[in-house]
Every structure is written in C-alpha cells, then in structure tokens.
Amino acid sequence: MLKSLSNHSKNNRAQDNNHFPSRDRISAVIFLVLCLSYGYQTLQIPLLPSDEYEPFTARTLPTLLTFIGIGLSILLLVTATPNIKSKTNETLNYKLLIGFLILMVLYGLGLTYIGFALATGTFLLISFYLLGERRKWILFGSSFPFAMAFYLLLTRGLGIYLEPGIIFTDFL
C-alpha cells in the first residue's frame, strides 16, 4: 500500500512537470525578446543620405544578426524537449553565474581603462579559470594570443579604431 502510494505521488510529480515550460523554452523566449529588442534598436541606426541605395550599410549586419537570432530562438522554441525528457537534472550554478556577471561588468570597465587587448585577454583568462581550467599554459596560451589576434584583425585588417585605454594614453 505504501509503495503504491509512493509510486502514485512520483507519477503525479512527473505529470505536474509537463505543465511547466522547459528551461529550453524559457531560454528561447528570453532570447527571442532580446533579439526583437535588438532588431528594434537596429532600426534606430542613422543612415547617411548617400547610403540610401547602397547594398551594405551600417544597418546590414545588425539586421542580419537580428534575423539569425530570431530564427534560432524560434527553432529552439519548437524543438525544445519537455522537462520530463530532459536528461540533465542539474541545478543552476548561481555562484558561477554571479561570477560571470561581475566579470562582465569589470570587463566593460576594463575596456575604458586598460584597453581592448589587455581587457579581453584578462577576461578570457579569468573566464577559463572560472570554468575549471587550471593549466597555466592553456590559460595564458589561449587567452592573450586570441585577444591579440582579434585586436590585430580589427585594427590592422578591418581598420577599426579601438581605444588603447586611459592608462596608456595618459601615462605613455
């Protein structure tokens, strides 16, 4: 009798989980809202009068990113599995989440003060460390070379000006 009552309560909990949207669907809706708001913001990008008939303008890539994001979020929304079929029952690691949120705020501040290359390299190094990588040769060998390669691609290859940082412009 007790065993059947226990099985009955487990079955009820499993059926109750089907009424709640899965994590994938919640993530898809949040991502869809972010993409739609980003798409709205891309419409606010001013165009030069000479850009009216140009095939590639300041709005082209942001608009393309908007459509890709909307498509991916709808795809995730449609293909998401219910909670009962989800293979992972892990809880969210709030400590890691808060660590990354703080790290992103510090990265934004670091861009202003120490510049793109050092801020990005440091951000990647600390991110890898937070995710569990402890080998120094991987930490330093993947973070700073990638940041420098990306910096050189943006500045030398594409001709985009990236501010070197207040520390380097004021003291050097």
Side-chain angles (χ1 to χ4, degrees):
M1 173 76 177
L2 188 60
K3 188 175 181 180
S4 68
L5 185 60
S6 173
N7 287 340
H8 180 69
S9 67
K10 285 181 184 178
N11 289 338
N12 282 344
R13 273 187 261 138
Q15 288 172 352
D16 288 343
N17 280 342
N18 285 336
H19 298 310
F20 295 111
S22 68
R23 282 186 183 178
D24 290 343
R25 286 204 170 107
I26 292 171
S27 300
V29 169
I30 291 171
F31 190 61
L32 181 63
V33 168
L34 287 174
C35 288
L36 289 172
S37 64
Y38 180 73
Y40 173 74
Q41 292 298 321
T42 60
L43 297 175
Q44 306 304 315
I45 297 173
L47 294 178
L48 298 173
S50 61
D51 286 347
E52 187 175 343
Y53 298 109
E54 293 292 325
F56 194 85
T57 64
R59 289 184 189 168
T60 306
L61 284 179
T63 304
L64 182 66
L65 284 174
T66 298
F67 284 121
I68 290 171
I70 290 171
L72 289 175
S73 61
I74 290 173
L75 182 69
L76 182 60
L77 194 60
V78 170
T79 62
T81 59
N83 281 339
I84 194 71
K85 293 181 182 178
S86 179
K87 294 179 182 176
T88 60
N89 291 331
E90 300 174 10
T91 59
L92 189 60
N93 187 348
Y94 288 105
K95 188 176 177 181
L96 184 64
L97 174 68
I98 291 170
F100 269 105
L101 290 175
I102 292 170
L103 185 60
M104 285 187 279
V105 168
L106 292 175
Y107 175 66
L109 293 172
L111 285 172
T112 305
Y113 292 103
I114 62 174
F116 178 82
L118 280 177
T120 303
T122 306
F123 174 79
L124 289 173
L125 179 105
I126 296 171
S127 296
F128 295 153
Y129 187 83
L130 284 175
L131 290 172
E133 182 59 54
R134 299 294 187 259
R135 293 174 286 187
K136 290 181 182 176
W137 65 275
I138 289 182
L139 287 173
F140 288 99
S142 60
S143 59
F144 286 103
F146 177 77
M148 286 307 297
F150 195 60
Y151 175 78
L152 291 174
L153 173 72
L154 289 174
T155 57
R156 306 279 189 229
L158 298 175
I160 297 172
Y161 174 74
L162 294 174
E163 188 176 341
I166 294 172
I167 292 174
F168 296 109
T169 56
D170 288 347
F171 296 114
L172 296 179

